[in-house]
Amino acid sequence: MTDEEFLAVLATHKDSTSEQVWNAVVARTENDWVGDLNWEAKSDNAQDFDNFLQKAFGGMPTPPRLEYVETLVTNYSFSIADVPGSENKAIRAIEICYEKMIAAISKSIGECVIPLAESPDTDVEVSEVEHELTRFQRWTKTPKFLK
C-alpha cells in the first residue's frame, strides 16, 4: 500500500472499535503490513500506528489469522521499534493469538467432533471425545512469555 493509503487507514480507524480495526487489517493482504514497508510513514506516525496495532490485536477473532499477526508484529522490530515496550507489545499480541487458537480448537471439538461422534455410523464414542476434550483443555496451556 502507498504511504497515503496507509495514513488513510490510520485516520479512518482512529475511533473505530477493535473489531473494525482488525477487519481493516484483513481487508488488505498481510504483505501490505510487513514491518519494513512504508518505513517513513510508520516511523513518523509511530504512536498512532502503535495505537492502531494494539486496537487490532484486541479485536482478533477466534481463531485469528496467524499470518497477519506474525506480519503485524514485525513492525515492532522495524519501523516502530522506538515505541516504548515495542517488543513486549509484539510478544503479548502473539500470546493473545495463541490463546485464541487454543480456544478455537476446543470449540471445534465441541461443535464438530462431538456431533460427528453421535452418529451410529462412527466407531468413536462421544464419551471418548469428551474425555479427550477435557484432557486437551486441562493440559494445553497458552505459552506465557511475559511475566
Side-chain angles (χ1 to χ4, degrees):
M1 87 180 94
T2 66
D3 286 353
E4 292 77 23
E5 291 171 323
F6 170 75
L7 294 172
V9 169
L10 291 187
T12 301
H13 294 286
K14 191 170 189 129
D15 296 320
S16 296
T17 67
S18 293
E19 292 77 18
Q20 290 168 327
V21 173
W22 180 261
N23 289 335
V25 166
V26 297
R28 304 194 69 95
T29 70
E30 67 270 13
N31 291 332
D32 284 336
W33 299 104
V34 172
D36 58 353
L37 295 179
N38 308 98
W39 188 285
E40 287 184 28
K42 288 175 179 176
S43 296
D44 291 346
N45 298 279
Q47 192 58 59
D48 289 339
F49 188 39
D50 175 39
N51 294 341
F52 176 87
L53 290 175
Q54 291 303 302
K55 198 177 275 189
F57 294 138
M60 280 189 279
T62 301
R65 294 182 57 186
L66 183 59
E67 67 273 15
Y68 278 91
V69 176
E70 290 174 343
T71 299
L72 291 172
V73 300
T74 65
N75 288 283
Y76 284 111
S77 299
F78 292 104
S79 56
I80 61 170
D82 292 339
V83 169
S86 62
E87 287 83 6
N88 285 346
K89 290 178 180 182
I91 290 170
R92 181 63 188 132
I94 293 169
E95 286 179 348
I96 293 168
C97 176
Y98 292 164
E99 286 172 10
K100 291 181 177 259
M101 292 171 83
I102 291 169
I105 292 168
S106 295
K107 182 178 178 183
S108 177
I109 292 170
E111 292 180 357
C112 186
V113 180
I114 289 175
L116 288 170
E118 290 172 340
S119 168
D121 297 330
T122 185
D123 296 331
V124 177
E125 296 291 327
V126 171
S127 61
E128 292 173 9
V129 176
E130 290 170 338
H131 172 76
E132 284 301 306
L133 175 58
T134 301
R135 186 185 65 77
F136 176 79
Q137 291 170 325
R138 186 179 312 125
W139 293 103
T140 307
K141 304 294 180 207
T142 303
K144 297 291 182 194
F145 305 110
L146 297 171
K147 303 291 178 206

